[in-house]
Amino acid sequence: MTRRSVATRHGIEDAAGLIPNVRTCARCIMDETADDIVFDEQGICNYCTGFLAKKAKHIALDEAERQRRLASMIDDLKRSSRGKRYDCIVGLSGGVDSSWSLVKAVELGLRPLAVHMDSGWNSELAQNNIANLVRTLGVDLHTHVIEWPEIRGLMEAFFAADVIDVEVLYDNAMLAVNYRQAAKYGLKYILAGTNIATEGVDIPKRWNWYKSDKRNIVGISRRFGGPKLRTFPAISTLDTARYVIVNGIRWISFLDYLDYKKAEALEVLTRDFGYKPYPHKHYESVFTRFYQGYLQPYKFGVDKRKPHLSSLIMNGEISREEALRRAQGIAYPSEKEMESDRLYFIKKMGWSEAKFEDYMRRPEMPHDDYPSEAALHQRLLQLYRSLDLKVGRLTWS
Ligand SMILES: [Zn+2]
């Protein structure tokens, strides 16, 4: 068994960067806090090796081949949208990856509908970034708003359940909204900011849950007195299968078709679209920021900066030394900002300090201690593979 980094406030230094007695990969910065990490004789791990395998399979290595793949995908996409109001959906979170997807889609002559999901936690920065972007590009934006009492009730239930992936709620709703809009306009393509360059190092399985697990959401909500789903646009494994097989909708990791470099994208976004950067990946939502920067390291002993920064190493964007430096210490620019988010979280959820402390102290419970569609999902995955269907990142992303 590997030692999990200590999930206490005091253990933050431990949860980040190089941890004594915990083995770290010689090439990336993944370490034994990922339960299933394996090292070869050179001390290189399965996570960064997996990155290279994915890159070889999905990203064209030479420029001509890349251009050919991109042109062929765009051709198919345009053919599929003839006579339609839009060509495709672009899912927009306000982060660099999805913002860049929208910019490139427009640059390539597509007429996208931008789709955004508002769960009540957007940072002001993200709201401004999204508004500036769609205005400058002249793109229509569909925003789905989940009513706050409902999302708060669901989150309450997930916290009471002590499961690790509270973001299943956001991700499930986001998938649902994108598929619904695609079906509504008869579109076959959803271009997403999911990509190998910045996300190709997998998030360890224990750190995440399967995102189309509506049964898990409903089951946890019921068990802990949460709300019935009304404005929350849930998607189940079978809904997903229906969208993919019956509606023929494809989820495209669009940036894999481009020569995507995050730093270059950020430079152009900042210069031409009034975009303001966030301190870390996925920090466009205040909750995501607090979840990844506080709840995950202190309650669950998990630090997502490690896979994120490892992807950037493997994509040749930063050195391993730089990644180690950036993964050290707290996941906030300062203690003050971290405490300010903690107070914001407590206030917004209506919690007391005692309730927060109690939550932080309780041990993790596995998602499949509650009703789940994970087994059905595994069986469908085999079917998809045999049919060679690309369902994109609907799995344990
Ligand atoms: Zn590695």
Side-chain angles (χ1 to χ4, degrees):
M1 273 307 288
T2 55
R3 186 174 78 95
R4 276 177 56 188
S5 52
V6 227
T8 63
R9 175 65 190 84
H10 190 64
I12 191 72
E13 295 301 332
D14 242 21
L18 270 178
I19 307 170
N21 309 320
V22 168
R23 192 168 174 201
T24 303
C25 172
R27 184 166 59 189
C28 71
I29 62 166
M30 292 301 285
D31 60 34
E32 287 174 330
T33 55
D35 311 52
D36 58 354
I37 198 165
V38 186
F39 299 97
D40 69 11
E41 317 80 68
Q42 273 81 46
I44 286 171
C45 80
N46 51 323
Y47 281 89
C48 54
T49 302
F51 178 102
L52 293 179
K54 258 195 233 174
K55 193 168 174 180
K57 190 169 170 207
H58 297 290
I59 298 187
L61 294 177
D62 72 272
E63 183 57 17
E65 169 66 6
R66 189 184 68 69
Q67 294 280 3
R68 196 197 58 74
R69 277 194 208 176
L70 175 65
S72 151
M73 191 270 283
I74 298 288
D75 272 358
D76 290 347
L77 189 158
K78 282 192 170 157
R79 208 171 306 122
S80 76
S81 65
R82 224 168 260 158
K84 309 265 166 70
R85 182 168 169 192
Y86 303 106
D87 288 317
C88 59
I89 300 292
V90 175
L92 186 62
S93 70
V96 176
D97 298 345
S98 66
S99 299
W100 191 241
S101 299
L102 188 65
V103 168
K104 294 309 274 186
V106 171
E107 230 178 76
L108 286 160
L110 300 177
R111 302 163 300 152
L113 170 64
V115 170
H116 176 65
M117 223 269 306
D118 181 354
S119 63
W121 288 95
N122 271 1
S123 68
E124 209 176 304
L125 202 56
Q127 305 278 39
N128 289 336
N129 281 341
I130 290 170
N132 285 339
L133 198 62
V134 294
R135 195 183 49 238
T136 315
L137 291 168
V139 164
D140 286 353
L141 172 69
H142 169 84
T143 301
H144 181 96
V145 181
I146 307 175
E147 283 176 10
W148 174 244
E150 186 176 347
I151 188 74
R152 191 182 96 164
L154 291 169
M155 290 177 81
E156 253 331 322
F158 266 59
F159 290 130
D162 291 309
V163 289
I164 190 168
D165 199 349
V166 181
E167 290 207 307
V168 156
L169 292 169
Y170 177 88
D171 293 332
N172 182 281
M174 187 270 299
L175 287 171
V177 171
N178 279 283
Y179 275 111
R180 279 186 190 180
Q181 291 298 308
K184 177 180 170 185
Y185 291 101
L187 306 175
K188 305 285 185 201
Y189 284 78
I190 298 170
L191 304 188
T194 45
N195 70 96
I196 293 172
T198 68
E199 305 173 330
V201 169
D202 287 336
I203 307 288
K205 278 193 178 130
R206 190 189 70 79
W207 301 13
N208 261 1
W209 189 244
Y210 158 56
K211 303 298 188 184
S212 291
D213 201 342
K214 181 176 175 180
R215 239 185 123 212
N216 205 229
I217 295 172
V218 172
I220 288 175
S221 183
R222 269 199 200 131
R223 168 84 186 274
F224 294 98
K228 281 217 165 68
L229 304 184
R230 287 192 316 108
T231 60
F232 185 93
I235 191 168
S236 70
T237 310
L238 287 178
D239 293 333
T240 309
R242 198 185 66 235
Y243 284 127
V244 172
I245 297 167
V246 180
N247 295 72
I249 300 170
R250 297 285 173 270
W251 185 275
I252 303 282
S253 290
F254 183 43
L255 298 175
D256 290 346
Y257 288 82
L258 312 171
D259 183 21
Y260 181 50
K261 292 275 189 286
K262 187 171 178 173
E264 288 171 23
L266 186 56
E267 199 187 309
V268 176
L269 286 170
T270 311
R271 193 189 61 213
D272 299 344
F273 298 94
Y275 191 90
K276 300 229 165 51
Y278 315 97
H280 293 288
K281 184 167 169 57
H282 293 321
Y283 277 23
E284 53 269 19
S285 139
V286 179
F287 178 69
T288 303
R289 182 166 77 199
F290 185 63
Y291 172 68
Q292 294 193 0
Y294 195 109
L295 300 182
Q296 281 193 331
Y298 301 143
K299 183 178 167 81
F300 300 101
V302 155
D303 188 347
K304 275 198 185 153
R305 288 178 298 179
K306 288 171 189 172
H308 290 154
L309 291 165
S310 291
S311 291
L312 294 181
I313 299 174
M314 298 309 293
N315 201 41
E317 294 205 47
I318 59 174
S319 67
R320 184 169 176 277
E321 289 63 40
E322 168 73 5
L324 282 170
R325 195 187 59 72
R326 279 161 65 173
Q328 243 151 45
I330 59 172
Y332 275 89
S334 70
E335 288 271 353
K336 203 174 141 211
E337 282 159 271
M338 182 161 80
E339 179 61 5
S340 143
D341 265 12
R342 196 184 70 84
L343 295 174
Y344 180 86
F345 170 81
I346 288 178
K347 186 160 175 234
K348 194 164 163 92
M349 292 301 295
W351 284 16
S352 64
E353 281 289 345
K355 182 167 177 175
F356 181 75
E357 269 170 41
D358 182 53
Y359 171 69
M360 294 305 289
R361 247 197 321 264
R362 289 196 310 262
E364 175 184 350
M365 297 295 287
H367 277 266
D368 51 7
D369 268 21
Y370 306 101
S372 168
E373 299 171 24
L376 172 63
H377 167 68
Q378 290 299 346
R379 284 201 298 279
L380 276 175
L381 265 191
Q382 285 169 359
L383 175 72
Y384 291 152
R385 278 193 204 108
S386 67
L387 295 172
D388 200 26
L389 278 176
K390 290 195 175 60
V391 275
R393 289 296 193 85
L394 302 180
T395 151
W396 320 76
S397 69

